[in-house]
Amino acid sequence: QVQLVESGGGMVQPGRSLRLSCEASGFTFSSYGMHWVRQAPGKGLEWVAVISYDGSNKYYADSVKGRFTISRDISKNTLYLQMNSLRAEDTAVYYCAKVISAYELLFGDTSFDSWGQGTLVTVSS
Amino acid sequence: QSVLTQPPSVSGAPGQRVTISCTGSSSNIGAGYNVHWYQKLPGTAPKLLIYGNSNRPSGVPDRFSGSKSGTSASLAITGLQAEDEADYYCQSYDTSLSGPWVFGGGTRLTVL
């Protein structure tokens, strides 16, 4: 069965960096696009970033563009989110999510059929 | 301000039927893009409930159903149970600057 396990969250000061990881199992990781979605305290879900199944294409929400970098290591079945220049408004639970169909185009009308348990990132001085 | 608009809260008694609306625009739902629904319990990961407007993943009870018309979509829950108390989010694809993948603000379902 599909399993996504995030790690790497924690408390960090504004302007510092953090790298989140999402270890995948139970499916062919190299065949599926992956996303990061976050939820700030008391708020709704917000899409953050996407990477294509082969890692060749990426896209970011305007709120994180230029500061966050999504990547994947097929050999380790792991998705990453490198977060630099963190701000207080980046405080949230970060979820990795798998798209429902294999080999989807980067930009597509898709849903997320599996999610990790989330990792909390707190940006505070 | 979410691109997709949901009521903040709905409620119903056990056994009743409730619906949750999701209103979009011509750049998302009205453009023909699908609507997907997620159930989120506090402290847990979102769970895909409905995909492609009206399809249920394996394991989701048929008490949950989805529909779409024009620029809106709805999630219906029949035979309400205490375990259905959760937050529900709609999601779609959007071609405006707000996109591409957008969520509603979420609806808290309270089972009375």
Side-chain angles (χ1 to χ4, degrees):
Chain A
Q1 104 228 25
V2 174
Q3 198 166 6
L4 299 170
V5 180
E6 297 103 336
S7 60
M11 180 174 286
V12 63
Q13 293 179 327
R16 303 299 290 264
S17 300
L18 211 56
R19 188 178 82 157
L20 306 183
S21 300
C22 168
E23 188 170 349
S25 61
F27 67 102
T28 306
F29 182 63
S30 58
S31 299
Y32 291 85
M34 296 292 295
H35 294 245
W36 286 98
V37 177
R38 67 185 180 184
Q39 183 176 32
K43 303 293 185 180
L45 299 172
E46 179 191 15
W47 174 79
V48 173
V50 60
I51 187 167
S52 59
Y53 62 90
D54 61 359
S56 62
N57 292 291
K58 308 168 186 180
Y59 194 73
Y60 303 91
D62 285 345
S63 56
V64 307
K65 200 170 293 183
R67 300 187 298 122
F68 289 13
T69 301
I70 189 172
S71 62
R72 64 194 300 165
D73 186 333
I74 302 299
S75 67
K76 296 182 179 178
N77 276 5
T78 302
L79 174 73
Y80 301 101
L81 186 67
Q82 177 67 43
M83 303 185 296
N84 299 332
S85 304
L86 282 162
R87 306 167 180 167
E89 53 265 36
D90 296 319
T91 294
V93 174
Y94 285 74
Y95 299 96
C96 59
K98 167 189 166 292
V99 300
I100 195 168
S101 299
Y103 304 116
E104 288 184 355
L105 298 175
L106 185 71
F107 292 102
D109 184 0
T110 192
S111 59
F112 311 119
D113 68 341
S114 297
W115 299 65
Q117 84 287 354
T119 187
L120 176 62
V121 172
T122 303
V123 184
S124 175
S125 54
Chain B
Q1 192 81 354
S2 300
V3 173
L4 304 178
T5 301
Q6 297 180 236
S9 64
V10 298
S11 63
Q16 284 189 333
R17 178 181 186 270
V18 296
T19 61
I20 299 173
S21 61
C22 175
T23 303
S25 67
S26 58
S27 63
N28 43 67
I29 300 174
Y33 294 111
N34 290 313
V35 178
H36 319 288
W37 292 91
Y38 302 88
Q39 178 191 58
K40 191 179 183 311
L41 297 163
T44 68
K47 172 188 173 183
L48 180 63
L49 211 56
I50 298 288
Y51 67 94
N53 305 316
S54 59
N55 302 292
R56 283 186 308 276
S58 172
V60 174
D62 59 6
R63 301 188 295 106
F64 295 89
S65 62
S67 63
K68 172 191 157 184
S69 178
T71 58
S72 296
S74 289
L75 172 71
I77 309 172
T78 59
L80 208 55
Q81 299 179 4
E83 66 204 51
D84 299 332
E85 188 161 289
D87 294 326
Y88 293 84
Y89 292 89
C90 61
Q91 175 247 316
S92 187
Y93 186 79
D94 188 286
T95 55
S96 73
L97 294 177
S98 301
W101 296 276
V102 292
F103 291 90
T107 299
R108 171 67 56 89
L109 168 62
T110 300
V111 180
L112 302 171

